[in-house]
Amino acid sequence: MSSVANDALTVVIPTLGREQVLIEVVAQVVAASGRPDAIIVIDQSPAHEPETERRLAEWHSVGRIVWERLTEASIPKAMNRGLKLATTPLVLFLDDDVRLHAGLVAAHRRAHAEFPEAWAVVGQVIQPWQTPTDLPRPPRRTGLREDRDFPFHSVRPAEVGNVMAGNLSVKRDRALRVGGFDERFYGAAYRFETDFARRLMTAGGTIRFAPDASIDHLRVPSGGTRDTGSHLTSADPKHGFGDYYYALRHGRGSGEKAAYCSGRAFREVRTKFHLARPWWIPVKLLGEARAFSAARKAVREAPLLMNCSASPADPSPAASVRGKA
């Protein structure tokens, strides 16, 4: 049996409710220099426009991609599915609304080769209002706020304590060792990647920020987490649950947890939107109270993690479309 190269890499693209932009992302990855060894699209969309369906099916049929369809929308679950389907030592997760900079795949491979102690590499993420900027590394806080506000549009490499899941590569065996991504995070799954980073570091890993592995995040207004609706006018706990759950799961003592959670509730209504429309403040605070209550209940249970086996997944899952990897 032939061995797999240590720098063999699979790109995993979780997607929900995206059409033309998804096709453009997949086309960029297919045509990328230093092409990945496999591409897996984890599709949580109930249905697609005919042209999107046709293109994905065509790529799938000729073995350019594996197109896996899930019946439940959950970003941690989709990323775990991709992690399990992959058979390469490295797995690179990309958002479904990004523009790849030249050399992205090669830069992730190079970072893992240069820093073998790193269990994960997070690349540069340029938001629509940003440009790559030479920024000094912010002072590293401790506890729940460690690197929470790290500037991922910086051009300076660093060791970090947080990640952005839209441009994140991992050593597959290490990610599986910590159980992948916690599927108790739901809705917008806020802070699920920070939770993953904390568990990775607790297990002994380090995380590198590699600015030469760069993407533009397009922030397409429909699909993805935008399908969960606006958090500004909602009493639904799904918008705040993840942040409270993260704090209650990882906070060091009741003091840090209480300070973080109360600070979040205050910040969520201290916005320009709410100052101009104060009638939404009670609605928002109700959502925060419901989110906190749901998080308190959830932390009484163990995190919902993967089986820590590094073996490939069952090749015949339900509700899937499969092709050659």
Side-chain angles (χ1 to χ4, degrees):
M1 185 172 68
S2 60
S3 60
V4 178
N6 289 336
D7 66 349
L9 181 148
T10 297
V11 168
V12 172
I13 306 171
T15 186
L16 172 64
R18 295 275 162 72
E19 302 297 338
Q20 182 58 33
V21 69
L22 169 63
I23 296 304
E24 292 170 0
V25 172
V26 175
Q28 289 176 76
V29 177
V30 167
S33 59
R35 185 173 175 233
D37 299 88
I39 303 167
I40 301 174
V41 176
I42 306 294
D43 196 346
Q44 308 156 84
S45 308
H48 280 297
E49 294 174 358
E51 179 60 14
T52 305
E53 193 88 12
R54 185 191 71 78
R55 291 292 300 277
L56 292 171
E58 180 180 274
W59 277 320
H60 171 79
S61 67
V62 298
R64 291 286 185 92
I65 68 171
V66 171
W67 182 22
E68 180 88 355
R69 304 197 80 160
L70 302 182
T71 57
E72 178 184 356
S74 163
I75 183 62
K77 188 171 291 186
M79 292 177 70
N80 280 344
R81 186 61 184 158
L83 187 62
K84 195 154 191 178
L85 286 175
T87 59
T88 54
L90 302 178
V91 177
L92 169 58
F93 297 99
L94 291 176
D95 271 355
D96 59 356
D97 62 340
V98 301
R99 182 181 299 111
L100 279 60
H101 289 205
L104 174 77
V105 174
H108 274 279
R109 284 189 171 119
R110 184 166 58 250
H112 281 281
E114 292 178 359
F115 301 95
E117 72 282 2
W119 291 15
V121 171
V122 56
Q124 186 184 68
V125 178
I126 309 300
Q127 305 292 356
W129 59 88
Q130 296 174 333
T131 58
T133 306
D134 187 5
L135 297 169
R137 199 200 190 294
R140 290 193 74 169
R141 297 181 177 182
T142 59
L144 292 171
R145 289 178 169 80
E146 181 180 1
D147 283 338
R148 190 185 68 175
D149 300 317
F150 182 84
F152 287 101
H153 63 297
S154 172
V155 299
R156 297 192 186 188
E159 182 177 313
V160 294
N162 196 9
V163 299
M164 296 189 75
N167 185 12
L168 171 68
S169 63
V170 299
K171 286 184 168 65
R172 179 176 178 269
D173 61 340
R174 304 299 199 278
L176 287 171
R177 183 184 300 178
V178 301
F181 301 91
D182 186 353
E183 294 178 16
R184 290 205 187 278
F185 286 87
Y186 68 93
Y190 194 51
R191 297 291 179 208
F192 84 95
E193 63 264 74
T194 307
D195 166 85
F196 173 75
R198 295 296 187 270
R199 288 186 287 106
L200 210 66
M201 293 187 297
T202 299
T206 61
I207 303 169
R208 290 296 302 181
F209 169 59
D212 54 340
S214 183
I215 61 163
D216 294 320
H217 186 204
L218 304 179
R219 293 181 67 90
V220 173
S222 62
T225 59
R226 256 66 78 190
D227 275 4
T228 61
S230 172
H231 69 96
L232 295 170
T233 58
S234 175
D236 195 316
K238 67 186 176 185
H239 297 288
F241 169 85
D243 209 8
Y244 291 117
Y245 177 70
Y246 158 72
L248 296 177
R249 181 70 74 191
H250 293 280
R252 298 178 299 180
S254 58
E256 183 182 31
K257 295 175 185 179
Y260 187 96
C261 292
S262 60
R264 175 198 156 82
F266 178 69
R267 288 193 307 274
E268 286 297 299
V269 294
R270 195 188 64 177
T271 68
K272 291 181 179 179
F273 176 90
H274 290 102
L275 288 174
R277 304 166 184 85
W279 54 88
W280 284 114
I281 291 177
V283 177
K284 181 60 182 172
L285 288 176
L286 174 61
E288 293 300 304
R290 295 176 67 196
F292 178 73
S293 178
R296 284 188 64 189
K297 182 178 179 180
V299 295
R300 298 188 188 113
E301 307 291 336
L304 194 56
L305 303 176
M306 298 173 65
N307 185 317
C308 296
S309 166
S311 60
D314 174 359
S316 302
S320 66
V321 179
R322 302 294 299 278
K324 295 183 289 183

